[in-house]
Structures are given as C-alpha cells and as structure tokens.
C-alpha cells in the first residue's frame, strides 16, 4: 500500500513533539516513519531526529488511533519532520 503523509512538526533544538493520528479501523495495522529536514539558518543544517511509536487507542465506536513521539537530536537548530504512515488491513 502507498505511504501517506499524515502531518508535520517543526521541533526546536533538543526538544520533542507528538502527533495524535486517528480514524483507522480495528483491522488496520499502522507503521510510522519520518522524513527530517534541518532548518535554522546554518549553511548545512543538521536534520537528526528519533521516532517512537507510542500508544494505541481504541475508541468506543471501534476505530483506532495512535500517538507517535519525535525527538529532535540536533543540538543547535530546529528540524521539520514529516510523519508518514503505511496502513495495512486484514
């Protein structure tokens, strides 16, 4: 299946952000990845981040949601992070 760009974050140096993504069925399996771009006015800005796939939630209507966390590991500049989701269904 194709990969979806489900959102983006701008994260400051040594900071973190999270993304709550919902609307999946109970039969969907979702895997996340990130694309990182360094920003901040440096000639060669460092883009370095860590993705952690966090909690999974099931709503009362049977749909599912997921929370992911992104840590900016660049010590001096911000990063733009696009969050990608690959969805597979049973």
């Amino acid at each position: 299946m194709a990969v979806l760009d489900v959102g983006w974050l701008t994260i400051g140096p040594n900071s973190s952000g999270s993304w709550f993504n919902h609307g999946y069925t109970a039969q969907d399996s979702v895997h996340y990845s990130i694309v990182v771009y360094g920003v901040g006015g440096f000639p060669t800005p460092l883009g370095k981040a860590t993705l952690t796939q966090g909690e999974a939630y099931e709503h009362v209507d049977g749909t599912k949601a997921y929370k992911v966390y992104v840590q900016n590991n660049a010590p001096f500049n911000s990063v733009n992070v696009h969050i990608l989701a690959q969805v597979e269904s049973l």
Side-chain angles (χ1 to χ4, degrees):
M1 173 173 242
V3 174
L4 306 170
D5 188 344
V6 296
W8 63 273
L9 299 166
T10 299
I11 304 171
N14 294 313
S15 297
S16 62
S18 62
W19 191 268
F20 185 77
N21 194 19
H22 59 92
Y24 299 104
T25 70
Q27 289 78 30
D28 289 338
S29 171
V30 184
H31 303 276
Y32 292 94
S33 62
I34 55 176
V35 177
V36 181
Y37 303 96
V39 296
F42 296 98
T44 54
L46 176 65
K48 185 177 180 185
T50 302
L51 168 73
T52 304
Q53 188 164 335
E55 297 93 346
Y57 302 90
E58 185 172 0
H59 300 304
V60 293
D61 63 358
T63 62
K64 293 209 174 180
Y66 300 93
K67 192 165 186 182
V68 295
Y69 302 91
V70 181
Q71 173 70 40
N72 178 2
N73 299 322
F76 302 114
N77 57 286
S78 299
V79 293
N80 285 329
V81 178
H82 282 263
I83 301 170
L84 307 176
Q86 181 177 3
V87 182
E88 298 290 338
S89 297
L90 291 175

